[in-house]
Amino acid sequence: NTNLEIQAYLLGHVVSPSYTIIEQIIYPKEYAVQTSGEVNWRLSEYKAMEELAKELGLDVVGDIHSHPNYWPVLSESDHCENIKDGVRITGVCATMGRKTKVCFWVQESSLPCKIIYDEDKE
């Protein structure tokens, strides 16, 4: 349902302050809270995701969530949660009708990051 926010965690590695590699995107089976303006994972799901990251030799480098019917902006609460959770990047995926736009931010910048896709990686 595109009217509810969706959140996933990003697993990978922080290579440098300006370079983060995302290897996997992990979604929960069920959210603790999921409305059109808020989304939160269940603690048990979050702990399982952290264990999976550890088993895969990856780090939790960030999260991404949707903004149903709204622009991909980094809200004040998004930025505060990013800092509180200690993740490097926050992504927002805007869904407006049939249009989608994704932006990422690092903790210390209010400007969106440049996204580079590795086409050669399998």
Side-chain angles (χ1 to χ4, degrees):
N1 184 346
T2 59
N3 292 324
L4 299 176
E5 281 199 16
I6 298 168
Q7 181 189 28
Y9 279 90
L10 309 172
L11 307 183
H13 300 286
V14 176
V15 178
S16 73
S18 62
Y19 188 56
T20 301
I21 297 173
I22 298 168
E23 297 281 346
Q24 290 199 15
I25 300 173
I26 305 295
Y27 294 90
K29 293 178 181 138
E30 184 179 0
Y31 296 102
V33 175
Q34 187 181 30
T35 69
S36 62
E38 181 182 10
V39 64
N40 288 303
W41 278 39
R42 293 187 181 281
L43 183 57
S44 59
E45 292 264 1
Y46 185 83
K47 289 183 183 226
M49 181 268 310
E50 284 185 313
E51 279 298 314
L52 175 62
K54 192 176 185 180
E55 289 172 16
L56 296 172
L58 300 172
D59 301 310
V60 179
V61 296
D63 76 336
I64 185 168
H65 67 280
S66 64
H67 279 183
N69 302 309
Y70 198 71
W71 299 106
V73 296
L74 185 66
S75 70
E76 183 178 347
S77 63
D78 293 341
H79 184 67
C80 290
E81 286 297 315
N82 176 298
I83 292 169
K84 185 180 93 177
D85 291 346
V87 294
R88 179 70 189 140
I89 58 175
T90 296
V92 176
C93 177
T95 55
M96 298 181 74
R98 296 177 59 120
K99 295 180 181 180
T100 302
K101 181 171 179 150
V102 177
C103 293
F104 290 93
W105 292 264
V106 293
Q107 285 183 0
E108 63 274 2
S109 178
S110 60
L111 297 174
C113 299
K114 180 178 180 182
I115 300 171
I116 300 170
Y117 296 95
D118 185 353
E119 301 294 334
D120 298 326
K121 187 162 176 124
E122 293 182 0

